[in-house]
């Protein structure tokens, strides 16, 4: 994975590379390194500064990012309907979160080094260069908590962290939210559980309870009460 | 450094812009007073796109909405700050615990709260008469009822009139219909003899005026509402006060150090640090309203020492900072097998629960005093950072592989999506004189202001209450037909009792009373020792009830503001 590309895709809507601009003075071309930024999401000034600082940092190196991309797609490959974790830009998310949450840094760096060491021991090759089958064979030894050989526990811990970050990165991506089929986060009107769902679960609303609830056809009317607190409309 | 003086004298200086400060701003500016509102954080308006977090998607945040020290409840929560604020520490006495949540922003913590808006009942003002512990309030429900009624109508709260003696009726908007997991809660609770009623939240299911919209059911009240369809102090009190033509001057990013006094001991204004230029300013005011939050107000008062107020302003009783108390809390969750692999649909609803259980055992013989209410959570919410962690751990309880990798992890996540429900108790603790915040003489914040040191321990009353919660939760959740998750916490873990401060209902640091030796303010929130200083946050609470404090802060601030206006008219202040 190209590091510059990975950063570019993370920095949606901004120019991450060098930008050539021409000044007013003749022959005065200056290369301006644009500050990485992300579109606003309701940040206050302190938060903007923090984000800018983290975006400008580099922690994981090329090799580590490549290994993470390989692991992401072992953990969550594509299927007939949706892409893989790296299609959903999970490695880019992990690149950021490791900088943003420094408690991830040592476990990720050490975990990747452990994985390469294990791989070298078995195949005299680093993990990312192994065949699919060889990679999966190693994963099989560290991916099932409770079944791991005690000598491989550091690998299990790393794999569990990778699985968590991969899954959370995926299901909080645009692709993952679609895959999950989450249907909210939009203006609407809640008027109760759909009837087919009630029927399927055998649950039902009590008429006395529903009688207290809002009549959504009157939701835009301004409320009026009598002196005893009875709603008149 | 030289303190920079202002030439102008305000009629009233209000310190803090949360629930109490907002209400004081509205009532006092409408009474014609020239008001200054001094807020330690920046301006905030959820309708401004640059402040908006509502209706944003998880991927808009590079950390996918994860929490941080900049926003403890995550990137999309409206509340800036939280448990830790960089440059503004607090300390704790050894072997004691307290967690202090602060929001530095216009509207304060009204930008964060769950909009649960419960009136105190008649018993809640007179708990000593019931159980002999703590103290009664100097006022009763009848004193506050007219103000609760006015708050209901001004701000809007949905709920239902149920004719329950200690959970009084009000002027409610109609509640939303329950969600599916809430029907499972109702089923389990009913089987266990635990009542359930529609919840009471300050969210507009109908319009209440032409200035604020009606709820559009995104389930995100915690993010602040761009339609102003839920309560926050800025959107519902301070902005309307400004639009009504009131004389309101906002001082944002202004951290109050102390209240200044004259030789007679009367307040003359405040000193604050402008966080943008780091210089100290003096603002003159005829009357000071302290509404910085129970603990921040105590801190400012204790830091306002003078020849006449040598233990801090208005602290001749020695009680400023004492009787600090928070709600108790405990939780449990359940996997509902009927909800595994459920069909998805939009069930965002309002931001918070649609049903709840008010305390149902008043008058019953129990091994602890006072009670708790039960809140319900669950459903198919929007994913954020942490969603998908341990994707198939629930296979431990229903069978199947835990861990692994590959496409099956997708199915595991979807299988359990929306299948877990939880319930939480929120209960009343017994205020203790020894539970307190005081000035730490060794530590200052980045503004040079001495910080608070907390000293708080639960008693056996709260621990036993948590034990009762766990027994109830187990019974109710089992009766839903679900599989209980996690272990039931026992005595070794204090039955899962939350740490003091964690429920963010801290009150009591400047309690009200008739006797100046035994209280800090009178029954109208006016300081006994300093007649031109009022306290309108939750500091004057004598006891907290099992109800969330905001509705009572609002009602008492309105009542105190009316009294203040009357006293000025009578030339008593």
């Amino acid at each position: 994975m190209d590091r510059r590309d990975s950063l570019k895709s993370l920095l949606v809507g901004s120019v991450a590379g060098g930008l050539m601009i021409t000044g007013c003075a003749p022959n005065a071309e200056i290369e301006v390194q644009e500050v990485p930024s992300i579109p606003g999401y309701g940040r206050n000034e302190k938060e903007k500064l923090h984000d800018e600082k983290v975006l400008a940092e580099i922690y994981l190196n090329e090799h580590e990012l490549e290994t993470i991309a390989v692991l992401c797609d072992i953990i969550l490959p594509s299927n007939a309907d949706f892409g893989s974790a790296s299609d959903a830009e999970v490695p880019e998310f992990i690149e950021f979160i490791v900088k943003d949450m420094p408690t991830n840094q040592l476990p990720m760096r050490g975990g990747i080094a452990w994985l390469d060491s294990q791989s070298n021991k078995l195949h005299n090759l680093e993990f990312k260069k192994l065949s699919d089958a060889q990679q999966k064979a190693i994963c099989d030894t560290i991916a099932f908590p409770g079944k791991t050989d005690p000598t491989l526990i550091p690998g299990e811990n790393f794999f569990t962290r990778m699985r968590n970050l991969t899954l959370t990165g995926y299901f909080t991506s645009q692709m993952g939210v679609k895959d999950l089929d989450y249907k909210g986060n939009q203006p609407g009107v809640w008027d109760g559980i759909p009837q087919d769902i009630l029927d399927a679960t055998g649950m039902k609303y009590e008429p006395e309870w529903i009688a207290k609830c809002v009549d959504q056809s009157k939701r835009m009317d301004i409320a009026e009460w009598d002196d005893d607190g009875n709603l008149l409309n | 450094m030289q303190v920079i003086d202002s030439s102008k004298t305000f009629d009233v200086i209000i310190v803090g812009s949360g629930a109490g400060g907002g209400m004081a701003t509205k009532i006092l500016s409408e009474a014609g007073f020239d008001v200054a509102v001094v807020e330690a954080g920046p301006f905030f308006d959820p309708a401004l796109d640059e402040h908006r977090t509502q209706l944003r998607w998880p991927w808009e945040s590079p950390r996918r909405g994860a929490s941080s020290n900049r926003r403890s409840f995550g990137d999309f929560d409206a509340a800036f700050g939280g448990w830790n604020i960089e440059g503004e520490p607090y300390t704790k006495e050894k072997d004691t615990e307290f967690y202090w949540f602060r929001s530095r922003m216009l509207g304060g913590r009204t930008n964060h709260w769950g909009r649960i808006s419960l009136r105190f009942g008649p018993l809640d003002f007179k708990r000593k008469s019931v159980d002999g512990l703590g103290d009664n309030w100097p006022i009763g429900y009848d004193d506050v009822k007219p103000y609760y009624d006015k708050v209901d109508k001004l701000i809007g709260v949905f709920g239902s009139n149920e004719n329950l003696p200690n959970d009084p009726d009000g002027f409610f908007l109609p509640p939303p219909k329950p969600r599916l997991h809430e029907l499972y809660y109702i089923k389990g609770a009913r089987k266990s003899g635990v009542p359930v009623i529609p919840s009471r939240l300050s969210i507009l299911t109908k319009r209440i005026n032409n200035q604020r919209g009606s709820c559009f059911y995104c389930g995100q009240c915690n993010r602040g509402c761009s339609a102003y369809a839920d309560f926050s102090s800025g959107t519902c009190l301070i902005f309307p006060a400004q639009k009504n033509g009131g004389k309101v001057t906002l001082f944002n990013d202004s951290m109050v150090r102390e209240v200044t006094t004259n030789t007679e001991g009367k307040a003359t204004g405040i000193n604050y640090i402008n966080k943008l230029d780091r210089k100290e300013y003096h603002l003159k005011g005829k009357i000071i309203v302290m509404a910085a939050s129970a603990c921040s107000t105590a801190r400012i008062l204790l830091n306002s020492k003078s020849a006449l107020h040598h233990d801090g302003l208005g602290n001749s009783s020695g009680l400023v900072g004492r009787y600090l108390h928070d709600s108790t809390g405990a939780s449990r969750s359940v996997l509902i097998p009927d909800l595994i692999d459920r069909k998805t649909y939009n069930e965002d609803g309002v931001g918070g629960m649609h049903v709840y259980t008010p305390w149902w055992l008043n008058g019953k013989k129990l091994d602890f005093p006072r009670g708790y209410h039960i809140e319900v959570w669950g459903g198919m919410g929007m994913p954020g950072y942490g969603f998908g962690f341990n994707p198939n751990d629930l296979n431990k309880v229903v069978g199947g592989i835990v861990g692994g990798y590959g496409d099956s992890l997708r199915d595991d996540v979807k299988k359990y999506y929306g299948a877990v429900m939880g319930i939480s108790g929120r209960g009343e603790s017994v205020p203790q004189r020894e539970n307190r915040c005081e000035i730490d003489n060794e530590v200052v914040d980045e503004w040079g202001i001495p910080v608070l040191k907390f000293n708080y321990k639960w008693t056996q009353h709260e621990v036993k209450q948590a034990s009762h919660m766990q027994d109830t939760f187990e019974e109710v959740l089992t009766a839903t037909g679900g599989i209980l998750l996690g272990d039931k916490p026992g005595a070794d873990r204090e039955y899962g009792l939350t740490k003091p401060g964690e429920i963010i209902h801290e009150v009591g640091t400047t309690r009200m009373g008739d006797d100046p030796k035994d209280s800090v303010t009178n029954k109208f929130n006016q300081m006994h020792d300093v007649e031109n200083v009022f306290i309108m946050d939750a500091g004057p609470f004598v006891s907290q009830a099992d109800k969330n404090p905001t509705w009572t802060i609002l009602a008492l601030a309105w009542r105190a503001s009316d009294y203040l206006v009357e006293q000025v008219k009578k030339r008593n202040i």
Side-chain angles (χ1 to χ4, degrees), chain B residues 138-152:
Chain B
I139 53 177
Y141 179 69
D142 291 340
D143 296 305
V144 192
K145 180 188 183 296
Y147 289 96
Y148 280 134
D149 289 350
K150 294 205 282 187
V151 172
D152 285 0

Side-chain angles (χ1 to χ4, degrees), chain B residues 34 57 62 82 93 123 173 256 259 264 279 289 314 317 334 338-339 359 389 409 412 450 470 487 508 512 565:
Chain B
D34 191 348
W57 292 99
E93 184 63 43
L123 294 174
L173 299 166
V256 175
V259 178
E264 286 92 56
K279 293 197 188 305
V289 171
S317 64
V334 68
D338 286 3
L339 299 182
W359 176 237
F389 275 26
L409 294 177
D412 285 330
Q470 293 297 349
D487 297 330
M512 63 163 65
V565 173

Side-chain angles (χ1 to χ4, degrees), chain A residues 43 83 100 179 205-206 233, chain B residues 63 75 178 190 206 414:
Chain A
R43 292 311 81 190
D100 196 53
D179 190 353
Y205 281 128
E206 294 163 359
N233 58 343
Chain B
R63 66 189 64 73
D75 268 348
R190 292 261 171 86
K206 285 172 82 73
K414 289 191 256 187

Side-chain angles (χ1 to χ4, degrees), chain B residues 155-225:
Chain B
I155 290 172
V157 49
F158 74 70
S160 56
N161 287 332
E162 302 284 341
N163 199 25
L164 298 170
N166 200 45
D167 299 277
D169 293 343
F171 290 79
F172 291 118
L173 299 166
K177 292 175 188 171
R179 305 178 183 96
L180 187 54
H181 64 273
E182 291 165 336
L183 291 188
Y184 281 87
Y185 174 69
I186 294 171
K187 179 179 134 187
R190 292 261 171 86
K191 273 193 198 165
S192 314
V194 172
V196 190
I197 63 170
S199 57
R200 296 174 172 180
L201 312 183
S202 53
I203 298 168
L204 304 187
T205 53
K206 285 172 82 73
R207 301 187 75 164
I208 57 160
N209 58 36
N210 287 319
Q211 285 76 54
R212 294 171 57 202
S214 164
C215 176
F216 55 74
Y217 301 96
C218 69
Q220 298 169 17
C221 292
N222 68 312
R223 298 186 178 198
C225 187

